[in-house]
Amino acid sequence: MSILEALPGYAGRGSPERESEVLLSLVASGLSSLSGWWGQVDRRRPYDDRLQLGLDRLAVACARQGLEAPVGVADLVWSWCAERPMREWPLVLDPDAQADGELLLIDGAPSEFCREWARATRDLVADVHESALVNHVKDVARALGRPELYAHWRMLLTERAVLSAAEMIRQRNRFLDVPSWARWLDESYEPVPCEGTVNGRIAVCPRCHQWMTPAGGQGWLCPSWRCAVHRFGSVPDLREAEGAFRLRADLVGYIALPGRSELLLAKPLAARGARVVVSPGYDALDAIATWPDGFAIGVDVKDWRNPFLLARKIKRFPEWSGDHPYAYDKGYIAVPEDRTRGRQDYLRILRKHSTALQGQPHVQAITIEDLIKQCPDLGTPGEVTCGP
Protein backbone atom coordinates (compact mmCIF):
# COMPACT_ATOMS: atom_id res chain seq x y z
CA MET A 1 0.00 0.00 0.00
CA SER A 2 1.35 3.43 -0.93
CA ILE A 3 1.56 6.37 1.49
CA LEU A 4 -1.27 8.11 -0.37
CA GLU A 5 -3.51 5.10 -0.10
CA ALA A 6 -2.95 5.00 3.64
CA LEU A 7 -4.32 8.49 4.12
CA PRO A 8 -7.90 8.75 5.45
CA GLY A 9 -10.60 8.98 2.83
CA TYR A 10 -8.25 8.22 -0.07
CA ALA A 11 -9.76 6.75 -3.24
CA GLY A 12 -7.63 6.27 -6.33
CA ARG A 13 -8.18 7.91 -9.71
CA GLY A 14 -10.79 6.00 -11.66
CA SER A 15 -12.34 4.39 -8.58
CA PRO A 16 -16.15 4.60 -8.23
CA GLU A 17 -15.72 6.80 -5.15
CA ARG A 18 -13.41 9.28 -6.90
CA GLU A 19 -15.56 9.39 -10.03
CA SER A 20 -18.67 10.00 -7.92
CA GLU A 21 -17.00 12.89 -6.09
CA VAL A 22 -15.84 14.43 -9.38
CA LEU A 23 -19.34 14.13 -10.84
CA LEU A 24 -21.00 15.66 -7.77
CA SER A 25 -18.44 18.46 -7.55
CA LEU A 26 -18.89 19.34 -11.23
CA VAL A 27 -22.66 19.63 -10.94
CA ALA A 28 -22.50 21.47 -7.61
CA SER A 29 -19.88 23.91 -8.93
CA GLY A 30 -21.90 24.57 -12.07
CA LEU A 31 -24.99 25.37 -10.04
CA SER A 32 -23.16 27.51 -7.47
CA SER A 33 -21.29 29.61 -10.01
CA LEU A 34 -24.34 30.72 -11.96
CA SER A 35 -24.26 34.50 -11.83
CA GLY A 36 -27.50 36.24 -11.00
CA TRP A 37 -29.34 32.96 -10.39
CA TRP A 38 -33.07 33.45 -10.82
CA GLY A 39 -34.24 29.94 -10.01
CA GLN A 40 -37.40 28.84 -11.77
CA VAL A 41 -38.21 32.37 -12.91
CA ASP A 42 -35.86 32.13 -15.87
CA ARG A 43 -34.79 28.66 -17.03
CA ARG A 44 -33.15 30.00 -20.18
CA ARG A 45 -30.18 31.69 -18.51
CA PRO A 46 -26.77 30.54 -19.81
CA TYR A 47 -25.39 27.71 -17.70
CA ASP A 48 -21.89 26.87 -16.55
CA ASP A 49 -20.11 24.33 -18.78
CA ARG A 50 -19.39 22.23 -15.70
CA LEU A 51 -23.06 21.28 -15.74
CA GLN A 52 -22.58 19.78 -19.19
CA LEU A 53 -19.46 17.93 -18.03
CA GLY A 54 -21.36 16.64 -15.02
CA LEU A 55 -24.26 15.61 -17.23
CA ASP A 56 -21.92 13.62 -19.47
CA ARG A 57 -20.45 11.74 -16.50
CA LEU A 58 -23.90 11.18 -15.03
CA ALA A 59 -25.10 9.66 -18.30
CA VAL A 60 -22.22 7.15 -18.16
CA ALA A 61 -22.95 6.32 -14.51
CA CYS A 62 -26.64 5.81 -15.29
CA ALA A 63 -25.81 3.53 -18.25
CA ARG A 64 -23.62 1.37 -16.01
CA GLN A 65 -26.48 0.87 -13.56
CA GLY A 66 -29.24 0.54 -16.17
CA LEU A 67 -30.92 3.80 -15.16
CA GLU A 68 -32.56 6.42 -17.33
CA ALA A 69 -30.26 9.42 -17.57
CA PRO A 70 -31.41 13.07 -17.56
CA VAL A 71 -32.17 14.50 -21.01
CA GLY A 72 -30.13 17.67 -21.26
CA VAL A 73 -28.99 20.25 -18.73
CA ALA A 74 -32.51 21.52 -18.02
CA ASP A 75 -33.62 18.02 -17.00
CA LEU A 76 -30.47 17.63 -14.87
CA VAL A 77 -31.15 20.89 -13.04
CA TRP A 78 -34.92 20.85 -12.60
CA SER A 79 -35.66 17.13 -12.34
CA TRP A 80 -32.53 15.71 -10.76
CA CYS A 81 -30.92 18.54 -8.77
CA ALA A 82 -34.20 20.05 -7.56
CA GLU A 83 -36.29 16.93 -7.00
CA ARG A 84 -34.10 13.84 -6.69
CA PRO A 85 -32.19 13.24 -3.39
CA MET A 86 -28.63 11.97 -3.56
CA ARG A 87 -29.64 8.43 -2.60
CA GLU A 88 -31.36 8.16 -6.01
CA TRP A 89 -28.25 9.20 -7.95
CA PRO A 90 -25.90 6.47 -9.28
CA LEU A 91 -23.08 7.56 -6.97
CA VAL A 92 -20.73 5.72 -4.65
CA LEU A 93 -19.90 8.06 -1.75
CA ASP A 94 -18.29 7.48 1.62
CA PRO A 95 -21.09 6.92 4.19
CA ASP A 96 -19.52 9.71 6.28
CA ALA A 97 -20.43 12.14 3.48
CA GLN A 98 -24.02 11.86 4.78
CA ALA A 99 -25.46 12.70 1.38
CA ASP A 100 -28.46 10.34 1.14
CA GLY A 101 -31.39 12.73 1.58
CA GLU A 102 -29.72 15.88 0.27
CA LEU A 103 -30.92 17.99 -2.68
CA LEU A 104 -28.66 20.22 -4.76
CA LEU A 105 -31.36 22.81 -5.37
CA ILE A 106 -33.92 24.05 -2.86
CA ASP A 107 -36.48 26.69 -3.82
CA GLY A 108 -34.65 27.19 -7.11
CA ALA A 109 -31.30 28.06 -5.49
CA PRO A 110 -28.17 26.00 -4.72
CA SER A 111 -28.57 24.34 -1.33
CA GLU A 112 -26.03 24.55 1.46
CA PHE A 113 -25.05 20.96 0.67
CA CYS A 114 -24.48 22.03 -2.94
CA ARG A 115 -22.36 25.03 -2.00
CA GLU A 116 -20.14 22.98 0.27
CA TRP A 117 -19.49 20.44 -2.51
CA ALA A 118 -18.79 23.15 -5.10
CA ARG A 119 -15.22 23.33 -6.36
CA ALA A 120 -13.41 25.23 -9.08
CA THR A 121 -9.96 26.38 -10.08
CA ARG A 122 -11.08 29.71 -8.66
CA ASP A 123 -14.21 29.02 -6.70
CA LEU A 124 -16.47 31.53 -5.02
CA VAL A 125 -14.65 31.44 -1.70
CA ALA A 126 -11.23 31.84 -3.30
CA ASP A 127 -12.50 34.69 -5.44
CA VAL A 128 -13.36 36.57 -2.27
CA HIS A 129 -10.49 35.62 0.03
CA GLU A 130 -7.90 36.09 -2.71
CA SER A 131 -9.51 39.17 -4.19
CA ALA A 132 -7.65 42.40 -4.66
CA LEU A 133 -9.64 44.04 -1.85
CA VAL A 134 -8.91 41.42 0.81
CA ASN A 135 -5.27 41.15 -0.18
CA HIS A 136 -4.92 44.93 -0.26
CA VAL A 137 -6.32 45.27 3.28
CA LYS A 138 -3.84 42.68 4.54
CA ASP A 139 -0.92 44.15 2.59
CA VAL A 140 -1.49 47.69 3.86
CA ALA A 141 -1.96 46.47 7.43
CA ARG A 142 1.32 44.52 7.21
CA ALA A 143 3.18 47.45 5.66
CA LEU A 144 2.01 49.73 8.46
CA GLY A 145 2.71 47.11 11.12
CA ARG A 146 -0.91 47.36 12.25
CA PRO A 147 -2.61 43.96 12.08
CA GLU A 148 -5.56 45.35 14.00
CA LEU A 149 -6.68 47.24 10.88
CA TYR A 150 -7.56 44.01 9.09
CA ALA A 151 -9.38 42.71 12.17
CA HIS A 152 -11.33 45.99 12.56
CA TRP A 153 -12.38 45.82 8.91
CA ARG A 154 -13.61 42.22 9.26
CA MET A 155 -15.46 42.98 12.49
CA LEU A 156 -17.21 46.01 10.98
CA LEU A 157 -18.39 43.95 8.00
CA THR A 158 -19.60 41.23 10.36
CA GLU A 159 -21.52 43.46 12.75
CA ARG A 160 -22.81 46.21 10.44
CA ALA A 161 -24.36 44.97 7.21
CA VAL A 162 -26.33 48.20 6.75
CA LEU A 163 -25.03 51.72 7.37
CA SER A 164 -26.99 54.95 7.22
CA ALA A 165 -25.42 57.86 5.36
CA ALA A 166 -24.30 59.42 8.66
CA GLU A 167 -22.91 56.13 9.92
CA MET A 168 -20.95 55.65 6.71
CA ILE A 169 -19.33 59.05 7.15
CA ARG A 170 -18.39 58.24 10.75
CA GLN A 171 -16.94 54.87 9.80
CA ARG A 172 -14.97 56.29 6.87
CA ASN A 173 -13.38 58.83 9.25
CA ARG A 174 -12.58 56.23 11.88
CA PHE A 175 -8.88 55.91 10.96
CA LEU A 176 -7.92 59.27 9.51
CA ASP A 177 -4.24 58.36 9.68
CA VAL A 178 -4.86 55.48 7.25
CA PRO A 179 -6.15 56.92 3.94
CA SER A 180 -6.80 53.42 2.59
CA TRP A 181 -9.43 52.76 5.27
CA ALA A 182 -12.08 54.95 3.62
CA ARG A 183 -11.41 53.32 0.26
CA TRP A 184 -11.84 49.86 1.81
CA LEU A 185 -15.29 50.84 3.03
CA ASP A 186 -16.23 52.33 -0.33
CA GLU A 187 -15.36 49.01 -1.95
CA SER A 188 -17.06 46.94 0.77
CA TYR A 189 -20.45 48.68 0.75
CA GLU A 190 -22.84 49.76 -1.99
CA PRO A 191 -25.88 52.09 -2.01
CA VAL A 192 -29.07 50.19 -1.26
CA PRO A 193 -30.75 49.52 -4.64
CA CYS A 194 -34.46 50.17 -5.15
CA GLU A 195 -35.18 46.46 -5.62
CA GLY A 196 -33.83 45.82 -2.12
CA THR A 197 -36.45 48.02 -0.46
CA VAL A 198 -40.13 47.96 0.37
CA ASN A 199 -41.93 51.26 1.01
CA GLY A 200 -38.61 53.02 1.39
CA ARG A 201 -37.31 50.56 3.98
CA ILE A 202 -34.57 47.95 4.08
CA ALA A 203 -34.75 44.95 6.40
CA VAL A 204 -32.02 43.49 8.61
CA CYS A 205 -32.30 39.90 9.84
CA PRO A 206 -32.77 39.73 13.63
CA ARG A 207 -30.83 36.45 13.75
CA CYS A 208 -27.67 36.99 11.68
CA HIS A 209 -27.89 40.81 11.33
CA GLN A 210 -27.45 40.74 7.54
CA TRP A 211 -29.61 42.63 5.04
CA MET A 212 -32.63 40.82 3.64
CA THR A 213 -34.27 40.92 0.23
CA PRO A 214 -38.00 41.36 -0.44
CA ALA A 215 -39.78 38.06 -1.11
CA GLY A 216 -42.98 39.24 -2.75
CA GLY A 217 -45.98 38.88 -0.50
CA GLN A 218 -44.13 36.51 1.84
CA GLY A 219 -42.06 39.06 3.71
CA TRP A 220 -38.28 39.17 3.58
CA LEU A 221 -35.68 36.58 2.59
CA CYS A 222 -32.45 36.25 4.57
CA PRO A 223 -29.23 35.44 2.64
CA SER A 224 -28.13 32.98 5.32
CA TRP A 225 -28.97 29.30 4.98
CA ARG A 226 -28.78 29.15 8.77
CA CYS A 227 -31.84 31.39 8.93
CA ALA A 228 -33.72 29.65 6.11
CA VAL A 229 -36.21 27.84 8.33
CA HIS A 230 -37.06 31.13 10.06
CA ARG A 231 -36.93 33.39 7.04
CA PHE A 232 -40.61 34.34 7.10
CA GLY A 233 -41.19 33.80 10.81
CA SER A 234 -39.02 36.50 12.39
CA VAL A 235 -39.93 40.18 12.41
CA PRO A 236 -37.05 41.98 10.62
CA ASP A 237 -35.43 45.17 11.81
CA LEU A 238 -36.68 47.78 9.31
CA ARG A 239 -34.50 50.80 8.58
CA GLU A 240 -34.71 53.86 6.40
CA ALA A 241 -33.28 53.01 2.98
CA GLU A 242 -32.74 56.52 1.65
CA GLY A 243 -29.04 57.27 1.57
CA ALA A 244 -28.19 53.94 3.23
CA PHE A 245 -25.44 51.53 2.26
CA ARG A 246 -25.40 47.75 2.45
CA LEU A 247 -22.56 45.25 2.48
CA ARG A 248 -21.81 43.79 -0.93
CA ALA A 249 -23.35 40.35 -1.39
CA ASP A 250 -20.08 38.44 -1.88
CA LEU A 251 -18.71 39.84 1.38
CA VAL A 252 -21.91 38.87 3.19
CA GLY A 253 -21.43 35.24 2.19
CA TYR A 254 -17.73 34.86 2.82
CA ILE A 255 -16.79 37.45 5.45
CA ALA A 256 -19.82 38.54 7.47
CA LEU A 257 -21.75 35.30 7.94
CA PRO A 258 -18.71 33.23 9.01
CA GLY A 259 -17.75 36.14 11.26
CA ARG A 260 -21.04 35.81 13.16
CA SER A 261 -20.05 32.38 14.45
CA GLU A 262 -16.64 33.70 15.45
CA LEU A 263 -18.24 36.43 17.56
CA LEU A 264 -20.60 33.88 19.15
CA LEU A 265 -17.44 32.41 20.64
CA ALA A 266 -15.38 35.55 21.25
CA LYS A 267 -17.98 37.49 23.25
CA PRO A 268 -18.80 34.69 25.76
CA LEU A 269 -15.09 34.05 26.32
CA ALA A 270 -14.61 37.76 27.02
CA ALA A 271 -17.54 37.61 29.44
CA ARG A 272 -15.56 34.96 31.36
CA GLY A 273 -12.65 37.31 31.88
CA ALA A 274 -10.49 36.62 28.82
CA ARG A 275 -8.85 39.12 26.54
CA VAL A 276 -9.92 37.86 23.12
CA VAL A 277 -7.98 38.95 20.04
CA VAL A 278 -9.97 38.31 16.85
CA SER A 279 -8.33 37.47 13.50
CA PRO A 280 -4.80 37.22 15.00
CA GLY A 281 -1.90 36.95 12.59
CA TYR A 282 -3.96 38.34 9.71
CA ASP A 283 -6.58 35.62 10.15
CA ALA A 284 -4.18 32.72 10.78
CA LEU A 285 -6.73 31.77 13.47
CA ASP A 286 -10.11 33.23 14.35
CA ALA A 287 -9.33 34.04 17.98
CA ILE A 288 -6.74 33.92 20.74
CA ALA A 289 -8.24 34.09 24.24
CA THR A 290 -5.88 34.84 27.14
CA TRP A 291 -6.76 34.95 30.84
CA PRO A 292 -4.91 37.11 33.41
CA ASP A 293 -2.97 34.10 34.76
CA GLY A 294 -1.45 33.57 31.29
CA PHE A 295 -3.55 30.57 30.19
CA ALA A 296 -4.41 30.96 26.50
CA ILE A 297 -6.28 29.07 23.80
CA GLY A 298 -6.17 29.39 20.01
CA VAL A 299 -9.43 28.78 18.15
CA ASP A 300 -10.50 28.36 14.55
CA VAL A 301 -14.30 28.45 14.17
CA LYS A 302 -15.73 26.27 11.40
CA ASP A 303 -19.40 26.71 10.53
CA TRP A 304 -19.96 23.83 8.11
CA ARG A 305 -22.93 21.57 7.75
CA ASN A 306 -20.96 18.63 6.35
CA PRO A 307 -18.08 17.33 8.55
CA PHE A 308 -16.77 15.05 5.79
CA LEU A 309 -16.06 18.04 3.54
CA LEU A 310 -14.98 20.30 6.39
CA ALA A 311 -12.26 17.81 7.37
CA ARG A 312 -10.54 18.45 4.03
CA LYS A 313 -10.52 22.21 4.56
CA ILE A 314 -8.88 22.26 8.00
CA LYS A 315 -5.32 23.59 7.93
CA ARG A 316 -2.56 23.09 10.47
CA PHE A 317 -2.58 25.50 13.37
CA PRO A 318 0.29 28.00 13.57
CA GLU A 319 2.84 26.86 16.14
CA TRP A 320 3.04 30.03 18.22
CA SER A 321 4.78 29.55 21.56
CA GLY A 322 7.25 31.12 23.94
CA ASP A 323 7.38 34.91 23.67
CA HIS A 324 5.14 35.12 20.62
CA PRO A 325 2.29 37.59 21.35
CA TYR A 326 -0.25 34.97 20.28
CA ALA A 327 1.28 31.97 22.06
CA TYR A 328 -1.42 29.56 23.21
CA ASP A 329 -1.58 26.46 25.42
CA LYS A 330 -4.35 24.55 23.66
CA GLY A 331 -5.85 24.68 20.18
CA TYR A 332 -9.44 24.07 19.16
CA ILE A 333 -11.53 23.64 16.03
CA ALA A 334 -14.87 24.95 17.30
CA VAL A 335 -18.16 24.12 15.58
CA PRO A 336 -21.56 25.70 16.37
CA GLU A 337 -23.55 23.24 18.46
CA ASP A 338 -26.57 23.24 16.15
CA ARG A 339 -24.36 21.78 13.40
CA THR A 340 -23.91 18.67 15.55
CA ARG A 341 -27.46 18.49 16.91
CA GLY A 342 -28.97 15.16 15.94
CA ARG A 343 -25.62 14.12 14.41
CA GLN A 344 -23.63 12.53 17.22
CA ASP A 345 -20.94 11.38 14.80
CA TYR A 346 -20.14 14.89 13.49
CA LEU A 347 -16.94 15.34 15.51
CA ARG A 348 -15.89 11.72 14.97
CA ILE A 349 -16.14 12.14 11.20
CA LEU A 350 -14.21 15.39 11.43
CA ARG A 351 -11.32 13.79 13.32
CA LYS A 352 -11.32 10.67 11.16
CA HIS A 353 -10.97 12.51 7.84
CA SER A 354 -8.74 15.45 8.84
CA THR A 355 -5.03 14.89 8.34
CA ALA A 356 -4.41 18.27 9.99
CA LEU A 357 -6.11 17.20 13.23
CA GLN A 358 -4.35 13.85 13.18
CA GLY A 359 -1.00 15.59 12.69
CA GLN A 360 -1.58 18.00 15.59
CA PRO A 361 -3.01 15.97 18.48
CA HIS A 362 -2.92 19.04 20.74
CA VAL A 363 -5.70 20.55 18.59
CA GLN A 364 -9.16 19.33 19.65
CA ALA A 365 -12.45 19.41 17.72
CA ILE A 366 -15.30 20.59 19.95
CA THR A 367 -18.56 22.51 19.86
CA ILE A 368 -18.50 26.23 20.65
CA GLU A 369 -20.83 25.69 23.61
CA ASP A 370 -18.71 22.92 25.15
CA LEU A 371 -15.54 24.95 24.68
CA ILE A 372 -17.05 27.92 26.50
CA LYS A 373 -18.10 25.69 29.40
CA GLN A 374 -14.57 24.27 29.71
CA CYS A 375 -12.88 27.67 29.91
CA PRO A 376 -12.16 29.54 33.16
CA ASP A 377 -14.82 31.96 34.41
CA LEU A 378 -13.41 34.75 36.55
CA GLY A 379 -16.76 36.38 37.15
CA THR A 380 -15.46 39.68 35.78
CA PRO A 381 -15.60 40.73 32.12
CA GLY A 382 -12.61 40.85 29.81
CA GLU A 383 -12.66 42.33 26.31
CA VAL A 384 -12.85 41.55 22.61
CA THR A 385 -10.11 43.40 20.80
CA CYS A 386 -8.58 43.60 17.33
CA GLY A 387 -5.03 44.35 18.48
CA PRO A 388 -2.14 42.25 19.74
Side-chain angles (χ1 to χ4, degrees), residues 30-43 45 51 77-79 81-83 103-112 114-115 221 225 231:
L31 293 174
S32 296
S33 67
L34 289 173
S35 178
W37 181 264
W38 287 94
Q40 297 190 32
V41 174
D42 185 355
R43 302 189 183 192
R45 290 186 67 82
L51 286 174
V77 172
W78 300 110
S79 295
C81 297
E83 300 177 0
L103 292 171
L104 291 176
L105 285 182
I106 297 177
D107 295 336
S111 66
E112 191 173 36
C114 175
R115 292 180 186 279
L221 177 64
W225 278 97
R231 61 185 176 181

Side-chain angles (χ1 to χ4, degrees), residues 122-134:
R122 284 181 57 82
D123 61 14
L124 295 177
V125 178
D127 282 341
V128 174
H129 285 289
E130 297 175 7
S131 68
L133 174 60
V134 175

Side-chain angles (χ1 to χ4, degrees), residues 234-378:
S234 300
V235 178
D237 175 15
L238 296 177
R239 304 184 186 182
E240 193 68 37
E242 185 176 359
F245 295 82
R246 72 179 188 185
L247 191 60
R248 295 186 184 276
D250 55 351
L251 296 175
V252 169
Y254 298 108
I255 297 290
L257 290 178
R260 295 301 305 175
S261 294
E262 296 164 16
L263 291 180
L264 287 177
L265 171 70
K267 291 182 177 180
L269 291 182
R272 287 176 167 253
R275 182 177 186 270
V276 184
V277 179
V278 295
S279 301
Y282 304 97
D283 223 18
L285 290 176
D286 290 325
I288 295 289
T290 307
W291 279 262
D293 65 357
F295 175 72
I297 62 173
V299 188
D300 211 9
V301 179
K302 297 297 185 184
D303 188 3
W304 279 61
R305 186 170 183 268
N306 190 309
F308 180 74
L309 295 177
L310 170 57
R312 304 178 179 187
K313 298 290 185 179
I314 295 175
K315 298 179 180 179
R316 290 181 62 88
F317 270 44
E319 297 181 357
W320 296 328
S321 59
D323 295 332
H324 193 284
Y326 299 137
Y328 58 91
D329 299 290
K330 294 183 178 180
Y332 296 93
I333 293 291
V335 180
E337 185 178 35
D338 66 334
R339 291 299 195 187
T340 67
R341 193 171 298 139
R343 307 173 74 183
Q344 297 181 354
D345 57 353
Y346 188 105
L347 297 178
R348 176 193 64 78
I349 293 172
L350 194 58
R351 298 186 191 100
K352 176 182 176 182
H353 293 278
S354 171
T355 55
L357 285 176
Q358 293 172 15
Q360 292 187 301
H362 65 287
V363 178
Q364 178 184 353
I366 193 172
T367 66
I368 288 177
E369 288 74 5
D370 284 344
L371 175 55
I372 293 170
K373 292 175 184 176
Q374 290 184 13
C375 289
D377 188 353
L378 304 183

Side-chain angles (χ1 to χ4, degrees), residues 26 29 35 97 99 224 228 233 268 373 385:
L26 280 169
S29 299
S35 178
S224 170
K373 292 175 184 176
T385 179

Side-chain angles (χ1 to χ4, degrees), residues 21-147:
E21 289 195 10
V22 170
L23 191 163
L24 179 53
S25 294
L26 280 169
V27 175
S29 299
L31 293 174
S32 296
S33 67
L34 289 173
S35 178
W37 181 264
W38 287 94
Q40 297 190 32
V41 174
D42 185 355
R43 302 189 183 192
R44 297 172 297 175
R45 290 186 67 82
Y47 56 81
D48 192 290
D49 60 1
R50 283 167 294 185
L51 286 174
Q52 183 64 55
L53 294 173
L55 174 64
D56 294 342
R57 288 174 178 263
L58 180 56
V60 173
C62 286
R64 287 174 177 168
Q65 296 192 21
L67 301 176
E68 184 176 348
V71 181
V73 170
D75 191 27
L76 168 65
V77 172
W78 300 110
S79 295
W80 283 66
C81 297
E83 300 177 0
R84 188 171 299 202
M86 287 290 104
R87 71 171 70 90
E88 298 179 12
W89 290 52
L91 303 178
V92 180
L93 299 171
D94 190 305
D96 286 343
Q98 299 180 328
D100 282 359
E102 300 287 353
L103 292 171
L104 291 176
L105 285 182
I106 297 177
D107 295 336
S111 66
E112 191 173 36
F113 174 82
C114 175
R115 292 180 186 279
E116 290 188 354
W117 270 98
R119 293 184 181 182
T121 302
R122 284 181 57 82
D123 61 14
L124 295 177
V125 178
D127 282 341
V128 174
H129 285 289
E130 297 175 7
S131 68
L133 174 60
V134 175
N135 285 335
H136 180 63
V137 175
K138 289 183 177 181
D139 290 345
V140 171
R142 285 194 182 96
L144 296 175
R146 295 180 60 178

